[in-house]
């Protein structure tokens, strides 16, 4: 029944999916935190920039961003990201770039809403003992904010895992592209689809359960 | 403006803020200049590449038909997904285990799978088992994929909307002797529909964005693939991307603005129960489908739906 699987690197494709999710997850967490810090900073220009970034990027389809990374950044501007000769590596890196830029906007909004859950009194107390903005943010507010947004961030991470399939649009050899290839070549539509659906359920459901448990454990009780 | 992080600035802080502003402005200007010089190096700022957008032909031949297809797919998906979602949302709240559990499994299953996978599956399904013409198949596939995913998301919206109503509503309905179906139909559903309207409009943004998947992978002639033929014709890759992105941004900003206007209006309305579901409320719905409480997240800021659902 599963004979036809032999010619395909199923695990390899899902491994690419996982790598895409992990790398762009880390990237968007870093970029999103920076954006969130800018959105709450006392400098109006930084606030404005981060607000515009979030509202613009959030409203462009991820597909447009990733296709632009390939056709615009790589083909027209000749950006190679250190992988000039290797087409596969280049598409992989461009996909991570696009996913990071897109997901960071959602990470930023999640963290910002977490910052708003910290009681004003805490920051007032921190200022009263002489901490400055950076110290208040990094010592008092962000640690609490992160602990309270693990739930929303988990949702962002799960959405990111599912969004990695969009990388198929620029030829990254991940799960969705392999599925498209397989169902076009083999007459096993239902079985193949079930395998890929199962693969994504395996990737996303445990993430939600484990991080949901972690989120409950570390949440600041108020 | 004072916030949790800083006081109203004094003279020292004001001076410091100006220094930071200037520094940031310099960085920003450098970035803009870098993009500008890269664009002009590659000849992307030439008038010939932009002039097509000032003429009607580029719009009537490529962009408007693409936009119409995008809106058609999004509209169809919403119209079909909404009743389906309501059905599953109510089924998940059923008193009968044999209704509640299968509905839950279906909803969680389709929420866990990327929209693209659903679209690719539907496309092949229609190719093998139906005689839908090749022209229409991409539209059918895109709408099917969007419906399957968004119906399950909307099921959660409906469920959260019904759960957000005060318990007294059901109790009062029981007290005057309404049956379960009547309570749902005449008391709970109408109220939850108002509560979930803003979340619904926000979900429409996700649907609009996800239609672009069909353009990239299923040869559905929406805005993104209209851009491709346009750029092939006029040789203006970068300008065409910018114009298409701007169309998407304006369209979605319109929807989000409408959603938050609706939300404010509904919160103000005297006769409502005061429960309003927003995109942020829906973020509270864990991936495992715990019921949405109107937690601190919903009161603070809109995080605006999930991160593009399962697609783009």
């Amino acid at each position: 029944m599963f004979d036809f699987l032999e010619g395909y690197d199923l695990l390899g494709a899902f491994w690419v999916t996982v790598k895409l999710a992990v790398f762009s997850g880390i990237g968007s967490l870093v970029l999103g935190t920076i954006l969130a810090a800018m959105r709450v900073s006392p400098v109006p220009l930084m606030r404005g920039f981060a607000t515009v970034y979030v509202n613009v990027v959030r409203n462009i389809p991820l597909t447009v961003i990733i296709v632009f990374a390939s056709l615009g950044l790589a083909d027209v501007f000749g950006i190679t990201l250190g992988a000039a000769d290797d087409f596969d590596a280049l598409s992989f890196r461009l996909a991570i770039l696009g996913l990071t830029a897109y997901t960071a906007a959602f990470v930023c909004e999640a963290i910002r809403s977490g910052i708003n859950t910290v009681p004003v009194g805490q920051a007032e107390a921190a200022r009263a003992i002489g901490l400055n903005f950076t110290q208040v943010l990094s010592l008092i507010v962000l640690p609490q904010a992160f602990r309270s947004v693990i739930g929303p961030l988990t949702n962002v991470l799960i959405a990111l895992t599912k969004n990695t399939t969009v990388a198929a649009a620029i030829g990254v050899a991940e799960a969705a592209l392999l599925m498209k290839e397989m169902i076009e070549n083999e007459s096993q539509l239902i079985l193949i689809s079930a395998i890929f659906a199962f693969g994504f359920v395996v990737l996303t459901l445990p993430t939600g359960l484990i991080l949901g448990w972690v989120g409950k454990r570390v949440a600041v009780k108020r | 403006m004072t916030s949790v992080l800083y006081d109203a600035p004094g003279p020292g802080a004001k001076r410091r803020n100006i220094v930071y502003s200037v520094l940031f402005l310099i960085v920003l200007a450098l970035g803009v200049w870098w993009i500008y010089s890269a664009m002009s190096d590659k000849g992307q700022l030439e008038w010939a590449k932009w002039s097509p957008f000032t003429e009607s032909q580029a719009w009537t031949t490529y962009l408007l038909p693409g936009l119409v297809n995008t809106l058609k797919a999004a509209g169809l998906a919403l119209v079909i997904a909404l009743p389906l979602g309501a059905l599953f949302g109510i089924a998940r709240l059923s008193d009968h285990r044999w209704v509640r559990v299968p509905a839950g499994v279906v909803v969680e299953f389709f929420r866990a799978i990327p929209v693209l996978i659903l679209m690719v599956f539907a496309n092949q399904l229609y190719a093998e088992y139906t005689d839908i013409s090749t022209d229409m198949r991409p539209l059918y596939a895109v709408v099917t994929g969007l419906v399957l995913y968004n119906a399950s998301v909307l099921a959660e919206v409906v469920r959260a909307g019904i759960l957000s109503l005060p318990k007294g509503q059901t109790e009062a309905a029981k007290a005057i002797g309404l049956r379960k179906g009547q309570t749902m139909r005449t008391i709970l559903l109408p109220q939850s529909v108002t509560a979930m309207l803003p979340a619904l409009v926000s979900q429409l943004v996700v649907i609009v964005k996800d239609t672009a998947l069909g353009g990239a992978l299923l040869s559905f002639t929406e805005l993104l693939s209209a851009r491709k033929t346009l750029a092939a014709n006029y040789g203006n890759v970068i300008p065409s991307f910018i114009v298409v992105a701007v169309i998407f941004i304006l369209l979605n900003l319109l929807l989000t603005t409408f959603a938050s206007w609706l939300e404010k209006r509904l919160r103000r309305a005297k006769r409502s129960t005061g429960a309003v579901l927003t995109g942020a409320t829906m973020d509270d719905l864990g991936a495992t489908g715990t019921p949405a409480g109107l937690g601190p997240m919903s009161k603070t800021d809109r995080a605006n739906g999930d991160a593009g659902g399962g697609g783009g």
Side-chain angles (χ1 to χ4, degrees), chain A residues 47-222:
Chain A
R47 280 206 305 268
F49 173 78
T51 311
V52 169
Y53 180 93
V54 167
N55 280 321
V56 164
V57 170
R58 213 168 44 176
N59 285 319
I60 305 177
L62 175 64
T63 323
V64 173
I65 295 176
I66 285 188
V67 173
F68 172 78
S70 175
L71 296 181
L73 292 183
D75 289 1
V76 176
F77 290 127
I79 290 172
T80 56
L81 296 173
D85 307 317
D86 190 346
F87 177 76
D88 287 343
L90 177 61
S91 333
F92 179 75
R93 288 177 197 187
L94 287 169
I96 289 178
L97 187 72
L99 283 166
T100 301
Y102 179 79
T103 314
F106 294 91
V107 172
C108 167
E109 287 305 86
I111 292 177
R112 197 169 67 101
S113 63
I115 289 174
N116 287 336
T117 64
V118 178
V120 183
Q122 298 227 357
E124 280 170 356
R127 280 202 299 274
I129 59 168
L131 302 187
N132 62 26
F133 173 77
T134 322
Q135 286 171 320
V136 176
L137 190 64
S138 61
L139 295 175
I140 310 289
V141 176
L142 272 187
Q144 298 188 55
F146 268 119
R147 285 164 65 172
S148 67
V149 293
I150 287 182
L153 278 183
T154 307
N155 289 348
V156 172
L157 182 67
I158 288 170
L160 169 66
T161 311
K162 293 188 285 172
N163 279 341
T164 55
T165 51
V166 182
I170 60 169
V172 177
E174 47 70 72
L177 196 69
L178 183 67
M179 171 181 164
K180 199 163 152 39
E181 189 194 320
M182 280 171 78
I183 59 174
E184 275 162 14
N185 295 339
E186 312 282 340
S187 53
Q188 293 274 15
L189 173 64
I190 305 293
L191 185 60
I192 295 170
S193 305
I195 291 171
F196 280 91
F198 176 73
F200 274 97
V201 171
V202 164
L203 283 182
T204 52
L205 273 189
T207 316
L209 289 173
I210 292 168
L211 287 179
W213 177 76
V214 171
K216 276 207 188 83
R217 250 188 89 94
V218 302
V220 184
K221 302 277 185 299
R222 292 207 174 88

Side-chain angles (χ1 to χ4, degrees), chain A residues 38 40-47 49 55-64 67-68 71-73 76-79 102-103 106 109-110 112-120 123-124 127 133 136-137 141 148-149 151-152 155-156 158-159 161-163 165-166 168-169 175-177 179-180 183-184 186-187 189-190 193 196-198 200-201 204-205 208-209 216, chain B residues 1 3-7 16-17 20-22 24-25 28 34-35 38-39 42 44 108-118 120-121 123-126 128-129 149 205 208-210 212-213 216-218 224 227-228 237-238 241-242 244-245 248-250 252-253 256 282-288 290 296-297 300-312:
Chain A
M38 283 168 87
V40 298
S41 87
V43 184
L45 200 62
M46 286 185 176
R47 280 206 305 268
F49 173 78
N55 280 321
V56 164
V57 170
R58 213 168 44 176
N59 285 319
I60 305 177
L62 175 64
T63 323
V64 173
V67 173
F68 172 78
L71 296 181
L73 292 183
V76 176
F77 290 127
I79 290 172
Y102 179 79
T103 314
F106 294 91
E109 287 305 86
R112 197 169 67 101
S113 63
I115 289 174
N116 287 336
T117 64
V118 178
V120 183
E124 280 170 356
R127 280 202 299 274
F133 173 77
V136 176
L137 190 64
V141 176
S148 67
V149 293
N155 289 348
V156 172
I158 288 170
T161 311
K162 293 188 285 172
N163 279 341
T165 51
V166 182
L177 196 69
M179 171 181 164
K180 199 163 152 39
I183 59 174
E184 275 162 14
E186 312 282 340
S187 53
L189 173 64
I190 305 293
S193 305
F196 280 91
F198 176 73
F200 274 97
V201 171
T204 52
L205 273 189
L209 289 173
K216 276 207 188 83
Chain B
M1 167 195 154
S3 86
V4 59
L5 291 162
Y6 48 89
D7 270 323
R16 217 164 40 235
N17 283 352
Y20 289 146
S21 294
V22 170
F24 188 70
L25 194 66
L28 212 59
W34 180 67
I35 292 170
M39 294 254 293
K42 301 289 174 190
Q44 295 298 326
E108 291 302 333
F109 178 75
F110 284 110
R111 252 155 49 100
I113 296 170
V115 183
L116 181 58
I117 297 270
L118 296 173
V120 168
F121 168 75
N123 193 40
Q124 194 68 18
L125 188 76
Y126 291 140
E128 282 180 28
Y129 298 106
Y149 176 72
V205 173
V208 166
K209 291 199 291 181
D210 280 352
L213 281 171
L217 283 132
L218 298 181
L224 182 62
R227 182 218 66 82
K228 199 173 167 188
V237 176
I238 304 292
F241 264 114
I242 293 175
V244 164
F248 270 117
I249 292 167
L250 289 181
N252 289 335
L253 273 183
T256 16
M282 294 315 300
D283 260 1
D284 277 352
L285 288 168
T288 48
T290 43
M297 289 289 302
T300 51
D301 271 285
R302 297 178 300 121
N304 214 348
D306 57 354

Side-chain angles (χ1 to χ4, degrees), chain B residues 132-155:
Chain B
I132 296 168
S133 71
T134 4
D135 307 341
M136 291 303 288
R137 205 191 297 142
L139 175 68
Y140 274 74
V142 167
V143 172
T144 310
L146 288 174
V147 163
L148 289 178
Y149 176 72
N150 289 291
S152 60
V153 173
L154 291 175

Side-chain angles (χ1 to χ4, degrees), chain B residues 38-253:
Chain B
M39 294 254 293
S40 66
D41 276 358
K42 301 289 174 190
Q44 295 298 326
L45 292 172
E46 285 164 21
W47 179 238
K49 294 199 189 298
W50 289 89
S51 57
F53 300 112
T54 60
E55 291 155 16
S56 62
Q57 206 202 346
W59 292 90
T60 50
T61 324
Y62 306 104
L63 294 175
L64 288 181
L67 183 62
V68 166
N69 272 343
T70 293
L71 293 177
K72 199 202 279 176
L76 276 174
L78 185 75
V79 169
I80 303 171
L82 199 54
L84 213 60
L87 196 71
F88 273 95
I90 293 168
R92 282 199 80 170
L93 291 168
S94 165
D95 288 337
H96 306 288
R97 212 183 142 78
W98 60 270
V99 178
R100 197 171 60 223
V101 172
V105 169
V106 168
V107 167
E108 291 302 333
F109 178 75
F110 284 110
R111 252 155 49 100
I113 296 170
V115 183
L116 181 58
I117 297 270
L118 296 173
M119 283 183 188
V120 168
F121 168 75
N123 193 40
Q124 194 68 18
L125 188 76
Y126 291 140
E128 282 180 28
Y129 298 106
T130 62
D131 47 2
I132 296 168
S133 71
T134 4
D135 307 341
M136 291 303 288
R137 205 191 297 142
L139 175 68
Y140 274 74
V142 167
V143 172
T144 310
L146 288 174
V147 163
L148 289 178
Y149 176 72
N150 289 291
S152 60
V153 173
L154 291 175
E156 295 293 86
V157 174
V158 171
R159 190 166 72 110
I162 291 171
L163 285 176
S164 74
L165 295 173
K167 248 187 132 176
Q169 302 278 343
T170 319
E171 284 161 6
K174 267 188 195 144
I176 56 169
L178 294 185
R179 276 179 281 113
K180 274 189 293 189
Q182 285 177 316
T183 310
M184 186 58 78
R185 224 172 31 247
T186 59
I187 310 285
L188 298 178
L189 209 51
Q191 292 186 73
S192 70
V193 164
T194 13
M196 66 188 229
L197 268 179
L200 215 73
V201 182
S202 299
Q203 191 59 29
L204 201 51
V205 173
V206 177
I207 299 180
V208 166
K209 291 199 291 181
D210 280 352
T211 56
L213 281 171
L217 283 132
L218 298 181
S219 65
F220 175 51
T221 52
E222 48 68 70
L223 208 47
L224 182 62
S225 59
R227 182 218 66 82
K228 199 173 167 188
T229 34
L230 182 137
N233 198 21
Y234 294 105
N236 54 354
V237 176
I238 304 292
S240 67
F241 264 114
I242 293 175
V243 169
V244 164
V246 166
I247 297 175
F248 270 117
I249 292 167
L250 289 181
L251 182 64
N252 289 335
L253 273 183

